[in-house]
Amino acid sequence: MGLADALRGKSVERRGRIAKPPPDGSRPLPGWRRYWPMYTAVSPFFILFAVFGVFPVGFSIYLSFMSWDGIGETRSIGWENYAYLVTDSDFWQSIGNTLIIWLLSTVPMIFLALVIAYALHTAVRFKAFYRVAYFVPNITSIVAMTLVLGSVFSDSSGLLNSALRAINSGEVGWLSDPWAMKVSVAAITIWRWVGYNAIICLAGLQAISSDVFEAAKVDGADNRQTFFRITLPMLRPVILFVAVTSTIGGLQLFTEPQVLFPVDDNGNVGGPGGEATTIVLYLYQQAFVFNRFGYGAAVGWALFLLIAVFSVINWRLIGGRDEDAIGTGKRKGKSRAR
């Protein structure tokens, strides 16, 4: 062994590496070139993510400060799109419609999901069948099902109004009355997502140890006390996840109102008076019907801020108490230790 090899070996040993000469006697490639086969193997994902994920986000920010009809040259207009957004009554109407539909769909959906999950957890027979049956609406084409349910909600020949006439009750304008239109969209949303959320809640229920329920039973807790004082508190992280994902999905509602109330000849969306126009549907109208892509991008970023605000509110209302309790407990523990 020469002096240079001995010094190289000591240097490698000092860095904590094991120096093994290549079997063919060639010198190893320095730096990143040693790992280029691995980088090449994982590069397709990052290239696709950059093209279809990062670039559209960055381009939408750029576009929100521009005036562009989708074909001609872009023209910088500064903050004009956002300034007009604040005073646009149609935009605020779409926010109001979205929040009402979100409230009508999310709250009952989470409650029904918990009830179904608890029923599936305690079911004795046909568990697998019920799980598949409740999950099927989530994998069914929402366009096809909205068309089918649209015939159910039809004002003149729908099944619901036929049933109301059969019991001598007044008809409801499910596709023309402002509030009934929102209820129709909310009902389709509940039908689509309640089974999916029930399966998530069921997974959370099954993760709770049976020892906890047996201990509660030994202490004399009845079913109601067990559900409200043990099951629900231990399911709080799952409920937070369901609430946040339902909020994000509810604020991005598009397919249901778009199929139930198609665009008319004048480019109007959301049915009579735009009473079922959601934020995403309004974005679609501005960008792809009226060719105002710059303003559509500004609406998209306003929607992003709205989703972020509601996610933080959900986190503080449902999940924040745990952290506060843990922090309080830690502080108490420290004070006692002192």
Side-chain angles (χ1 to χ4, degrees):
M1 177 182 297
L3 179 59
D5 294 337
L7 293 175
R8 187 183 301 113
K10 289 182 179 179
S11 176
V12 172
E13 185 178 358
R14 192 180 300 116
R15 294 197 300 268
R17 297 179 180 177
I18 300 174
K20 293 183 178 180
D24 57 355
S26 61
R27 299 180 62 182
L29 294 173
W32 65 271
R33 285 187 293 174
R34 187 184 309 171
Y35 305 104
W36 73 266
M38 286 76 88
Y39 291 143
T40 305
V42 300
S43 61
F45 167 77
F46 291 100
I47 293 173
L48 292 175
F49 178 73
V51 173
F52 296 103
V54 177
F55 173 74
V57 172
F59 187 65
S60 68
I61 297 175
Y62 165 77
L63 208 56
S64 66
F65 296 97
M66 299 289 167
S67 175
W68 189 44
D69 60 0
I71 299 176
E73 296 182 355
T74 57
R75 181 171 59 87
S76 176
I77 57 174
W79 293 88
E80 287 187 16
N81 283 328
Y82 291 99
Y84 178 71
L85 190 73
V86 177
T87 60
D88 186 3
S89 59
D90 292 335
F91 170 71
W92 289 107
Q93 183 190 16
S94 68
I95 288 184
N97 294 337
T98 304
L99 294 181
I100 292 173
I101 294 173
W102 168 76
L103 195 64
L104 291 174
S105 60
T106 302
V107 176
M109 180 172 57
I110 293 178
F111 176 75
L112 287 174
L114 286 172
V115 172
I116 293 172
Y118 192 74
L120 289 175
H121 185 61
T122 56
V124 180
R125 303 176 64 182
F126 306 116
K127 280 188 176 182
F129 171 77
Y130 288 127
R131 291 175 187 175
V132 173
Y134 281 113
F135 197 75
V136 162
N138 188 253
I139 59 174
T140 306
S141 170
I142 187 59
V143 174
M145 290 313 303
T146 302
L147 290 174
V148 173
L149 293 175
S151 63
V152 174
F153 289 114
S154 175
D155 289 351
S156 57
S157 57
L159 291 178
L160 283 179
N161 277 337
S162 299
L164 291 175
R165 285 194 295 269
I167 59 175
N168 296 322
S169 179
E171 297 181 356
V172 177
W174 300 104
L175 302 182
S176 57
D177 181 75
W179 275 97
M181 292 163 62
K182 298 178 179 64
V183 171
S184 303
V185 177
I188 297 175
T189 306
I190 293 173
W191 176 86
R192 182 185 181 191
W193 291 105
V194 67
Y196 173 82
N197 290 322
I199 296 299
I200 294 177
C201 293
L202 176 63
L205 278 173
Q206 292 177 339
I208 300 175
S209 173
S210 59
D211 296 340
V212 178
F213 297 105
E214 292 176 1
K217 191 174 181 181
V218 171
D219 290 340
D222 56 20
N223 291 333
R224 185 179 61 84
Q225 292 172 326
T226 302
F227 182 75
F228 285 103
R229 296 188 179 184
I230 295 178
T231 305
L232 279 185
M234 298 191 74
L235 272 180
R236 184 168 292 170
V238 179
I239 296 174
L240 172 63
F241 174 78
V242 171
V244 171
T245 55
S246 299
T247 300
I248 294 173
L251 294 178
Q252 298 182 80
L253 208 60
F254 172 74
T255 306
E256 292 86 346
Q258 164 67 8
V259 178
L260 208 56
F261 307 99
V263 182
D264 63 15
D265 296 336
N266 297 322
N268 298 317
V269 296
E275 294 294 339
T277 303
T278 59
I279 302 176
V280 179
L281 194 56
Y282 184 65
L283 185 158
Y284 166 80
Q285 180 197 36
Q286 295 299 316
F288 298 99
V289 178
F290 296 152
N291 295 326
R292 302 171 62 189
F293 286 90
Y295 186 60
V299 173
W301 279 101
L303 173 63
F304 169 77
L305 292 178
L306 190 64
I307 290 175
V309 169
F310 271 82
S311 298
V312 171
I313 292 174
N314 276 334
W315 172 62
R316 292 301 301 170
L317 288 179
I318 301 177
R321 293 180 182 177
D322 284 341
E323 296 187 356
D324 293 342
I326 293 172
T328 305
K330 288 182 178 179
R331 287 194 293 272
K332 288 181 178 179
K334 289 181 179 178
S335 63
R336 288 175 182 173
R338 291 173 184 171

